[in-house]
Amino acid sequence: DGGITQSPKYLFRKEGQNVTLSCEQNLNHDAMYWYRQDPGQGLRLIYYSQIVNDFQKGDIAEGYSVSREKKESFPLTVTSAQKNPTAFYLCASSIEDREAFFGQGTRLTVV
Amino acid sequence: GQNIDQPTEMTATEGAIVQINCTYQTSGFNGLFWYQQHAGEAPTFLSYNVLDGLEEKGRFSSFLSRSKGYSYLLLKELQMKDSASYLCAVRGRGSQGNLIFGKGTKLSVKP
């Protein structure tokens, strides 16, 4: 079945550690996105990529990094520079200008 | 830049009709999207408007006026399962082709 998969569903990180969240899609979508959602809040854009080997910063890119080496994959690294990383992270993909489809999300907690 | 406004919370009665408004300001416009998000889950796509007018899909309809920077989502024959957050999102053009979300409207449906 086609879809977008995020892993893991739950992730715990010690302060000062980098952690990478996985996002894979087999929908043949060119565009991929990473969002962060805090409790009771909307989605805030971290990074997005419209094509392989290219990506742009969103509104809250500081403390995060991404890569887009393959069309299917758009991993997000939460670095130690991100001071408040505990949140729900959502990855999405879309065909050009149409609707985006979301993965199930990764809930990151700093312990 | 882009700015999207929608009410924070709304309450409605089972079987009734509710209208959730969204106003937006964007430097380029290439579509408006509505999503439903149940607590703790990923958003799911509801509707897409790129031209002015009403799009109907079962119990859900969405309206767009580009000149006014305004959209609404209309939910008919409300059911308890419609209790969720409803997110309005706008896509820009070209290099601004990211997908920006409003903070969402939390709808509570009461018996």
Side-chain angles (χ1 to χ4, degrees):
Chain A
D1 284 2
I4 180 166
T5 303
Q6 289 185 242
S7 61
K9 190 172 182 179
Y10 298 95
L11 188 59
F12 297 88
R13 187 194 96 173
K14 292 183 179 179
E15 282 194 42
Q17 284 184 339
N18 292 356
V19 64
T20 297
L21 282 60
S22 170
C23 180
E24 303 278 333
Q25 55 98 0
N26 59 4
L27 299 167
N28 200 32
H29 288 173
D30 285 314
M32 297 188 74
Y33 315 81
W34 273 106
Y35 293 90
R36 168 183 173 140
Q37 188 173 37
D38 294 284
Q41 301 296 313
L43 278 64
R44 292 187 291 168
L45 184 66
I46 305 173
Y47 270 98
Y48 68 104
S49 169
Q50 293 178 293
I51 197 169
V52 174
N53 293 322
D54 188 43
F55 48 83
Q56 287 79 41
K57 293 181 179 180
D59 297 323
I60 56 166
E62 185 175 353
Y64 300 97
S65 66
V66 293
S67 64
R68 187 83 187 277
E69 298 176 0
K70 298 187 302 181
K71 188 175 187 177
E72 300 80 15
S73 180
F74 192 39
L76 173 75
T77 296
V78 185
T79 75
S80 57
Q82 170 50 238
K83 297 306 178 188
N84 186 22
T86 295
F88 187 39
Y89 290 87
L90 287 157
C91 179
S93 69
S94 72
I95 295 176
E96 296 183 352
D97 300 330
R98 289 307 304 255
E99 63 272 18
F101 294 91
F102 285 84
Q104 66 176 3
T106 293
R107 200 166 294 278
L108 174 65
T109 303
V110 173
V111 296
Chain B
Q2 291 165 296
N3 187 50
I4 301 172
D5 288 313
Q6 49 182 130
T8 304
E9 294 185 34
M10 297 183 71
T11 302
T13 304
E14 191 176 15
I17 299 173
V18 70
Q19 178 175 311
I20 302 174
N21 296 325
C22 171
T23 58
Y24 65 89
Q25 296 171 318
T26 180
S27 55
F29 178 83
N30 203 19
L32 186 140
F33 305 83
W34 284 96
Y35 285 81
Q36 180 190 62
Q37 186 180 28
H38 285 99
E41 299 181 6
T44 55
F45 168 72
L46 289 177
S47 69
Y48 164 64
N49 295 73
V50 67
L51 300 175
D52 291 352
L54 188 68
E55 294 285 339
E56 296 186 82
K57 191 185 294 185
R59 295 190 299 115
F60 294 73
S61 303
S62 57
F63 172 83
L64 174 67
S65 169
R66 288 172 295 171
S67 62
K68 295 182 179 178
Y70 168 70
S71 173
Y72 67 73
L73 180 69
L74 194 70
L75 292 74
K76 304 175 186 175
E77 301 170 12
L78 280 172
Q79 302 175 10
M80 299 299 290
K81 68 178 182 180
D82 296 330
S83 292
S85 289
Y86 291 86
L87 311 177
C88 174
V90 174
R91 186 186 295 285
R93 280 198 176 277
S95 61
Q96 295 297 316
N98 50 7
L99 188 61
I100 300 298
F101 282 79
K103 293 185 177 180
T105 299
K106 185 177 180 181
L107 174 67
S108 298
V109 180
K110 301 194 181 303

